[in-house]
């Protein structure tokens, strides 16, 4: 799966709500890049993809466990879409 | 003798000067007396100007009363129908005859003389610059020379080789100093700008207390500096363009919409309180 596809998914999901607040479309570009690089040409399971996205998100946004819980539905949806596009 | 002012020869490049040469002696000059050295030199110069005395090329006009000078003096006296005794006294007939001949020569514009410089360490810059050039007949010394050099002249006629007066003037501000000095402000500006840029970006990196990783990555990729952020926040506060709102998950945030076109999002509570979580160029 390409970086562009992941970037589009993250942009549409807008997990942090920055794009809604006026940020440009490449707001989650670095996160998309990290995820795309981790997946590579493999076909990981949903759990692995969810773990990857969660890990990247927690690190990049410096989130606590409770904050991660708040974002989980959106992160799950993004992970599902990534898996479906593999 | 009239001394020429000690200006640099370059000042006379397009302004030839005319100095009337007049011989004035302090004491008697002859072969068997201790003559005043300055008198000897003045007499030699006068005789040389009238082409009676041509000094040795290496030594030039010295202050020593040599045989050649006495012989030249005798020849002049003989030509002037004076007693050719090789003796000259202050305000005597020979001095008067010499001054008359010098004045006559000065008035004759057809007389051309070529300047010769000994070129040794005693030579002044003016004389070196005039070496082998054609000088005016009534120039006692080259313009700019104080008359202390040992330069001499020879008659010059058409078709004889000569040099064009082109003194090598050392500029007050040589090019190699002038050009860098012109470039210096730009160079300093570049260095200062680079330093400021470096300083501006110094704190804007991943792991910084003021930023989340995401914030640092966005700043880096959008080429926003710390100075830009500071200005955005400052102008947003001044123009009352700070939007206090809750994020998607209820975390309070300040959105500074700066007049420099940058929006800075800062969280005010929670784990990232006081941290910039993202920035962008707003439309």
């Amino acid at each position: 799966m390409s970086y562009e596809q992941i970037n589009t998914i993250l942009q549409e999901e807008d997990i942090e709500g920055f794009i809604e607040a006026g940020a440009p479309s490449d707001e989650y570009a670095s996160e998309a890049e990290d995820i795309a690089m981790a997946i590579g040409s493999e076909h990981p399971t949903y759990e692995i993809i969810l773990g990857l996205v969660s890990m990247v998100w927690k690190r990049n946004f410096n989130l606590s466990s409770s904050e991660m819980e708040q974002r989980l539905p959106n992160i799950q949806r993004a992970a599902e879409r990534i898996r479906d596009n593999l | 003798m009239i001394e020429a002012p000690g200006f640099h020869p370059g000042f006379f490049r397009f302004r030839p000067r005319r100095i009337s040469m007049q011989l004035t002696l302090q004491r008697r000059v002859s072969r068997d007396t201790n003559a005043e050295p300055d008198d000897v030199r003045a007499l030699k110069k006068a005789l040389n100007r009238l082409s009676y005395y041509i000094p040795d090329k290496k030594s030039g006009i010295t202050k020593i009363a040599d045989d050649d000078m006495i012989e030249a003096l005798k020849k002049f006296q003989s030509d002037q129908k004076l007693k050719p005794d090789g003796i000259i006294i202050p305000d005597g007939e020979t001095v008067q005859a010499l001054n008359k001949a010098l004045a006559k020569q000065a008035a004759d514009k057809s007389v051309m003389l070529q300047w010769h410089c000994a070129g040794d360490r005693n030579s002044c810059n003016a004389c070196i610059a005039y070496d082998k050039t054609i000088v005016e007949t009534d120039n006692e010394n080259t313009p700019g020379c104080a008359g202390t050099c040992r330069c001499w002249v020879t008659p010059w006629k058409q078709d004889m080789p000569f040099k064009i007066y082109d003194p090598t003037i050392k500029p007050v501000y040589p090019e190699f100093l002038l050009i860098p000095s012109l470039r210096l402000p730009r160079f300093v500006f570049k260095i200062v700008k680079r330093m400021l840029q470096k300083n501006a970006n110094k704190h804007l990196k991943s792991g910084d207390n003021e930023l989340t990783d995401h914030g640092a990555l966005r700043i880096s990729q959008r080429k926003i500096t710390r100075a830009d952020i500071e200005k955005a926040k400052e102008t947003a506060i001044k123009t009352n363009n700070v939007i206090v709102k809750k994020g998607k998950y209820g975390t309070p945030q300040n959105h500074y919409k700066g007049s420099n076109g940058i929006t800075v999002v800062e969280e005010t509570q929670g784990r990232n309180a006081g941290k910039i979580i993202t920035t962008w160029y707003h439309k």
Side-chain angles (χ1 to χ4, degrees), chain B residues 14-272:
Chain B
F14 304 110
R15 200 157 58 90
R17 285 151 30 88
R18 305 186 76 83
I19 304 164
S20 180
M21 185 175 183
Q22 289 289 303
L23 178 67
T24 310
L25 297 178
Q26 294 170 40
R27 282 159 53 181
R28 172 191 159 114
V29 178
S30 67
R31 191 193 295 270
D32 54 357
T33 55
N34 288 328
E36 181 67 34
D38 286 344
D39 286 349
V40 174
R41 189 179 61 189
L43 176 60
K44 278 186 174 179
K45 283 204 170 194
L47 290 167
N48 171 246
R49 186 60 52 94
L50 297 167
S51 303
Y52 282 92
Y53 173 76
I54 305 296
D56 180 73
K57 284 182 182 177
K58 286 182 181 175
S59 59
I61 291 179
T62 62
K63 295 180 178 181
I64 301 160
D66 50 42
D67 289 344
D68 288 347
M69 186 198 76
I70 300 298
E71 290 307 314
L73 181 59
K74 283 180 180 174
K75 178 80 172 52
F76 174 76
Q77 288 169 328
S78 176
D79 288 352
Q80 296 293 319
K81 312 281 192 252
L82 299 169
K83 187 183 174 185
D85 54 4
I87 297 166
I88 185 166
I89 55 170
D91 300 324
E93 282 183 331
T94 308
V95 171
Q96 286 173 20
L98 272 169
N99 283 337
K100 198 176 171 183
L102 287 167
K104 190 180 173 186
Q105 188 199 53
D108 186 356
K109 299 299 173 195
S110 67
V111 178
M112 305 290 273
L113 298 168
Q114 190 169 28
W115 194 263
H116 297 274
C117 176
D120 58 6
R121 60 190 175 91
N122 295 319
S123 303
C124 71
N125 288 335
C127 290
I128 292 167
Y130 275 91
D131 188 34
K132 306 289 186 295
T133 62
I134 310 304
V135 294
E136 293 188 59
T137 56
D138 57 349
N139 275 359
E140 180 186 358
N141 305 300
T142 57
C145 177
T148 53
C149 298
R150 292 178 289 162
C151 309
W152 71 98
V153 292
T154 54
W156 183 83
K157 287 174 186 171
Q158 291 290 340
D159 301 329
M160 283 175 73
F162 70 99
K163 282 184 182 173
I164 296 166
Y165 173 56
D166 184 21
T168 309
I169 304 165
K170 283 187 179 177
V172 179
Y173 299 106
E175 287 83 349
F176 68 86
L177 282 176
L178 187 64
I179 292 166
S181 72
L182 291 171
R183 289 179 180 169
L184 191 65
R186 273 173 61 188
F187 179 71
V188 170
F189 177 74
K190 265 188 173 180
I191 294 287
V192 170
K193 193 180 168 188
R194 199 175 294 172
M195 282 170 71
L196 289 171
Q197 194 84 18
K198 203 176 172 184
N199 194 44
N201 290 323
K202 196 178 173 184
H203 305 286
L204 302 178
K205 59 185 180 187
S206 182
D208 196 293
N209 286 334
E210 297 174 52
L211 298 160
T212 60
D213 281 9
H214 178 83
L217 286 164
R218 297 276 59 82
I219 284 164
S220 168
Q221 285 178 3
R222 287 170 184 158
K223 292 176 180 162
I224 295 168
T225 65
R226 182 177 183 80
D228 293 333
I229 290 170
E230 293 297 333
K231 194 173 181 184
K233 285 175 80 174
E234 192 185 322
T235 52
I237 291 164
K238 274 185 187 172
T239 55
N240 207 19
N241 245 336
V242 184
I243 303 158
V244 180
K245 60 192 254 184
K246 286 189 176 178
K248 198 170 180 178
Y249 306 99
T251 314
Q253 295 172 347
N254 284 345
H255 289 232
Y256 299 93
K257 206 170 181 179
S259 60
N260 58 350
I262 293 168
T263 296
V264 179
V265 182
E266 192 180 80
E267 282 196 351
T268 53
Q269 277 181 32
R271 188 181 168 94
N272 292 326

Side-chain angles (χ1 to χ4, degrees), chain A residues 13-18 21-24 26-31 59-64 67 70-71 74, chain B residues 212-215 217-218 221-222 245 248-249 251 253 255 265 267 270-272 275 277-281:
Chain A
E13 291 300 324
D14 192 14
I15 298 170
E16 293 300 316
F18 293 147
D26 65 343
E27 180 63 26
Y28 303 108
S30 50
E31 286 78 17
R59 185 194 66 193
N60 279 14
F61 293 94
N62 190 33
L63 300 169
S64 63
E67 285 169 332
Q70 289 175 316
R71 286 158 178 77
N74 290 347
Chain B
T212 60
D213 281 9
H214 178 83
L217 286 164
R218 297 276 59 82
Q221 285 178 3
R222 287 170 184 158
K245 60 192 254 184
K248 198 170 180 178
Y249 306 99
T251 314
Q253 295 172 347
H255 289 232
V265 182
E267 282 196 351
R271 188 181 168 94
N272 292 326
K275 285 188 179 180
I277 53 172
T278 188
T279 58
W280 64 77
Y281 287 100

